[in-house]
Amino acid sequence: MEFVIEATDLTKKYGSLVAVDKLDLKVEAGTIHGFLGPNGAGKTTTLKILVGLLKPDGGSVSILGQELGWDNPDARSRIGYMPELPKLPKHLKGRELLDIYGRMYGMSKEAREKQVPKLLDMVGLKERGNDLTGEYSKGMQQRLGMAQALLNEPELVILDEPSLGLDPVGMVEIREIMKEIAKEGVTVFLSSHLLHEVEQVCTNVTIINKGVALASGTLEQISAKIRGPLILEAEVDKLSKTVIGKVKELPFVANVSKDGKKLFVEVKTRDDVRSRVSQAITAGGGIVTSMNLKGGSLEDVFMGLLAKNQKEEAAK
Amino acid sequence: MSVSHSGWTVKFLAVVRYELLWNVRKKKFLGMLVVAFALATLSLALNHIAYALGGPPVELNPDFVINSNVGLGGFVFVLFAIVTTMNIISAEFESGTIVPLLAKPVSRTTVFLGKLFAAFLTLLATYCFLMIYMTVGGFLVFGPQNNLHLVPLSLVGALFSTLIWIAIVLFLGTVFRSSLIAAFGTLGVWIGTTIIGSIIGVLAGQGWIFTYIPGSGNQGFANGGPSPFGPTGTGVSTGTDSIGSNLINYILHPSWEVTYYKINIGGTTPDQIQWVRLYSEPFSNIILTSIAVALIYFIVFVAISWYVFRRAQVTE
């Protein structure tokens, strides 16, 4: 397995505050890896270390097989980085900015002439390329920030909250771009506090809180490791012992309990078994008026992990 | 991948281009340019304005251009240094544009040198335009001019004089990451050394100290002598702000000796004010000392700024 980012015992302190605390991080090549955590979890600090903007107080980092020293331009030459709410020099026009950044990457004139219009088109700024970035809206700056991160056709793209400040259409477009570049073999490392975003685009995820990695792996691995039982919550008219008995007979059911008209069915499988539970209820003479699946989303996992982490902190 | 691993020069020139476009599009810079040309125009037109208001008729003055120091003086040097340099490091940190810039595969040393070189080019171009404007204007207003071949020395001197202020602005801006501290701090140094320092120097007889700090330096007199009403001859400032005019005077009058005086004030009436001769030195000493002082200050302040910038962590 090839890793494009490997960080071991990564530590960063701001005075007495430990922003990143002995973080171990591995990002597999060719994946879209989400870096998930609440505000202030240490996501941006970690990303800034990865691109050489901050110096770690401890630990080691290698990017694309190269040790990340301080001020090492070579390590950055194969990376694209989009900061959180990118602040771009407002005295430059969008096209000029990409051209100048392209020169900084050492791109040839031909490569810049090909890549700059293509990227402006991709992020929907084709018509505004000759305007000063100071005249751009926040969303447009975000789009240009995405374009400059892809300028050098990087092997690894690091995106810090790429959807922040975008309207719903923009969010969808940015996610589509992420999926597109991943298809071309580019590894995307994406920090976000938007659970549904990570769930929609990421194949792998690392969950971080207070600078500590709480879990890491593919979405399925994390689910299997952390997720609590899946519970089907059904509201049933004519809820009787017969209904409960019928549901208990189902092979994937671990436990059944009731509270008034509500029936709680704990299931052992990740498959969608709602229709089979519904059929069992009907067979027992009950009428299903509503049914919800709880404990299955990344949000549930995330919240569960945070709650567990907080309990452990409190116990200390 | 279409990235060619071009050399240092390409990346350096990309930073220069980035910075130059910022400089020429800055409203502050354009405003300063207008002020500089307005002042130059005023010095050319002053005699005509006086004549129009009933003053003496305008006479031909073949030494106007060479004596005017092409319209540049201490305060203009400080202002141009502030306008061209106050933003180059500090404003990048203040606005957050440093983040995408330093994430590019360009070493911090290259970024630093590129920005400094761009400030120098901006100054050079501005001073060249001013020099040409004053030379042509002087010719048109005051007739044929003497010693025009020495005008480029004014330009060289002006650049030396401004470099020292650039280094101070850069130092304050880099260390404190604040454009305001850079601008007002430098203005404070100029006011302190040039205005207050000169007064204290003349009264206390310790003006030699000001030869070794930026600004107008010590005040002396050449080609004259003592008289009951004070020293006679041509006033000479020994400081780094006067390198241009001193270079020209040295070529025109290589044998000049400069004599320094202090004032003893015994009372409030003129006869109680006494000028006391302190010492004399050859003009060549003054030139060499002021150039050495400018270079040493420039090197020291730029080196400290570079060191701080190289180590700066981007927490913004």
Side-chain angles (χ1 to χ4, degrees):
Chain A
M1 199 177 286
E2 188 195 347
F3 294 106
V4 291
I5 298 175
E6 278 189 280
T8 311
D9 281 340
L10 198 61
T11 304
K12 179 70 193 171
K13 295 174 187 169
Y14 297 115
S16 59
L17 175 78
V18 183
V20 179
D21 193 2
K22 293 182 179 169
L23 178 77
D24 288 331
L25 178 68
K26 283 185 176 180
V27 175
E28 201 181 319
T31 58
I32 304 184
H33 193 116
F35 197 39
L36 193 61
N39 292 333
K43 301 188 298 290
T44 297
T45 299
T46 306
L47 264 51
K48 281 187 171 176
I49 292 172
L50 296 179
V51 291
L53 295 171
L54 288 173
K55 197 173 189 174
D57 294 309
S60 63
V61 185
S62 98
I63 302 275
L64 297 161
Q66 200 171 359
E67 280 297 314
L68 184 78
W70 184 241
D71 196 17
N72 178 2
D74 285 345
R76 298 194 293 269
S77 63
R78 293 149 70 199
I79 305 175
Y81 170 60
M82 175 188 177
E84 181 181 1
L85 292 174
K87 307 287 188 312
L88 302 167
K90 55 186 180 184
H91 64 283
L92 291 174
K93 297 168 183 173
R95 195 179 300 275
E96 276 174 351
L97 181 70
L98 293 184
D99 184 73
I100 288 174
Y101 282 165
R103 290 166 193 256
M104 290 179 186
Y105 277 112
M107 291 167 70
S108 66
K109 191 180 175 206
E110 293 73 29
R112 295 196 311 271
E113 282 176 353
K114 183 180 148 220
Q115 190 74 340
V116 170
K118 184 182 130 189
L119 286 171
L120 284 172
D121 193 25
M122 183 197 262
V123 298
L125 290 174
K126 194 179 173 184
E127 309 298 325
R128 299 293 304 271
N130 290 325
D131 292 345
L132 293 171
T133 64
E135 295 165 5
Y136 283 12
S137 69
K138 205 184 273 183
M140 289 163 72
Q141 293 198 14
Q142 193 84 343
R143 287 160 186 266
L144 193 62
M146 182 63 145
Q148 59 87 35
L150 303 176
L151 195 59
N152 56 328
E153 297 182 341
E155 293 166 57
L156 167 66
V157 182
I158 297 174
L159 307 171
D160 195 355
E161 302 279 3
S163 303
L164 216 60
L166 290 177
D167 57 32
V169 177
M171 284 184 180
V172 172
E173 284 172 1
I174 288 284
R175 285 171 201 158
E176 286 307 312
I177 291 171
M178 285 191 260
K179 288 177 186 169
E180 279 301 311
I181 56 174
K183 271 185 204 164
E184 291 167 17
V186 178
T187 308
V188 180
F189 185 51
L190 144 83
S191 101
S192 180
H193 68 280
L194 300 175
L195 295 151
H196 62 279
E197 178 171 78
V198 172
E199 202 158 27
Q200 277 176 26
V201 298
C202 295
T203 50
N204 295 51
V205 68
T206 295
I207 297 176
I208 182 176
N209 188 38
K210 294 182 181 170
V212 178
L214 303 182
S216 189
T218 62
L219 286 175
E220 289 75 22
Q221 282 168 343
I222 289 186
S223 300
K225 191 174 159 189
I226 299 151
R227 278 177 182 164
L230 270 181
I231 294 177
L232 268 172
E233 187 184 305
E235 199 160 300
V236 181
D237 278 347
K238 296 181 185 172
L239 180 55
S240 62
K241 283 183 181 172
T242 318
V243 170
I244 294 171
K246 284 283 178 192
V247 174
K248 274 186 177 171
E249 284 172 15
L250 293 168
F252 49 81
V253 170
N255 194 18
V256 181
S257 60
K258 65 170 254 185
D259 180 10
K261 280 187 165 188
K262 282 188 177 169
L263 183 69
F264 301 96
V265 184
E266 189 182 323
V267 296
K268 292 181 273 188
T269 177
R270 294 280 152 191
D271 296 336
D272 190 352
V273 290
R274 281 176 293 184
S275 61
R276 291 179 67 188
V277 172
S278 179
Q279 282 167 5
I281 293 170
T282 310
I287 300 164
V288 180
T289 54
S290 70
M291 188 179 278
N292 294 309
L293 190 61
K294 290 201 166 177
S297 69
L298 184 59
E299 186 175 349
D300 295 312
V301 173
F302 182 68
M303 297 311 289
L305 271 172
L306 288 192
K308 190 179 160 203
N309 184 234
Q310 276 163 4
K311 271 184 193 170
E312 284 170 2
E313 290 275 315
K316 283 180 193 170
Chain B
M1 186 189 277
S2 55
V3 174
S4 65
H5 293 283
S6 325
W8 179 83
T9 318
V10 173
K11 295 178 179 183
F12 171 76
L13 290 176
V15 178
V16 173
R17 189 183 177 89
Y18 173 94
E19 195 63 27
L20 275 180
L21 284 170
W22 192 339
N23 267 342
V24 298
R25 287 177 185 163
K26 253 190 295 197
K27 284 178 190 154
K28 281 191 283 282
F29 177 72
L30 296 175
M32 182 62 218
L33 211 56
V34 169
V35 170
F37 274 91
L39 287 174
T41 307
L42 190 66
S43 73
L44 285 166
L46 203 58
N47 289 9
H48 281 278
I49 294 168
Y51 178 61
L53 295 173
V58 181
E59 291 177 9
L60 294 180
N61 179 0
D63 294 320
F64 172 82
V65 171
I66 214 70
N67 287 339
S68 71
N69 203 21
V70 292
L72 295 167
F75 191 56
V76 176
F77 297 145
V78 174
L79 283 186
F80 267 114
I82 288 172
V83 169
T84 53
T85 318
M86 69 183 273
N87 288 332
I88 69 174
I89 303 287
S90 52
E92 293 265 20
F93 278 98
E94 286 167 339
S95 65
T97 51
I98 196 78
V99 174
L101 179 63
L102 291 187
K104 300 291 172 287
V106 183
S107 75
R108 292 184 179 210
T109 303
T110 308
V111 171
F112 184 84
L113 291 176
K115 283 172 163 281
L116 196 58
F117 186 66
F120 174 76
L121 281 185
T122 310
L123 268 184
L124 181 66
T126 309
Y127 286 179
C128 280
F129 276 121
L130 267 173
M131 187 182 79
I132 293 166
Y133 182 73
M134 281 296 280
T135 307
V136 173
F139 192 88
L140 293 175
V141 174
F142 296 104
Q145 296 293 301
N146 292 336
N147 299 312
L148 283 182
H149 63 287
L150 297 178
V151 168
L153 276 181
S154 282
L155 177 70
V156 172
L159 287 172
F160 265 106
S161 301
T162 314
L163 282 182
I164 197 167
W165 295 112
I166 280 186
I168 292 171
V169 178
L170 188 64
F171 167 76
L172 292 172
T174 310
V175 170
F176 295 101
R177 296 190 188 181
S178 160
S179 304
L180 279 179
I181 291 179
F184 286 108
T186 308
L187 265 181
V189 172
W190 184 78
I191 290 168
T193 60
T194 300
I195 299 175
I196 301 168
S198 300
I199 295 166
I200 294 170
V202 170
L203 294 178
Q206 300 298 321
W208 62 272
I209 295 168
F210 296 99
T211 304
Y212 300 101
I213 53 180
S216 60
N218 198 4
Q219 307 299 313
F221 291 86
N223 196 28
S227 81
F229 308 104
T232 59
T234 308
V236 172
S237 296
T238 64
T240 56
D241 281 351
S242 308
I243 292 173
S245 56
N246 286 348
L247 276 172
I248 290 170
N249 275 330
Y250 178 68
I251 287 178
L252 294 176
H253 316 286
S255 59
W256 268 6
E257 285 261 323
V258 178
T259 306
Y260 302 93
Y261 300 84
K262 68 172 276 197
I263 300 173
N264 280 344
I265 300 174
T268 50
T269 56
D271 60 318
Q272 290 173 307
I273 296 172
Q274 237 185 339
W275 286 78
V276 180
R277 184 183 177 281
L278 295 172
Y279 64 98
S280 298
E281 65 178 332
F283 207 2
S284 55
N285 274 9
I286 292 168
I287 306 281
L288 290 173
T289 308
S290 56
I291 290 176
V293 166
L295 284 175
I296 289 167
Y297 272 88
F298 180 74
I299 291 166
V300 169
F301 280 121
V302 167
I304 296 171
S305 308
W306 168 77
Y307 180 76
V308 171
F309 180 64
R310 274 260 303 149
R311 293 170 57 89
Q313 303 209 41
V314 184
T315 51
E316 286 78 4

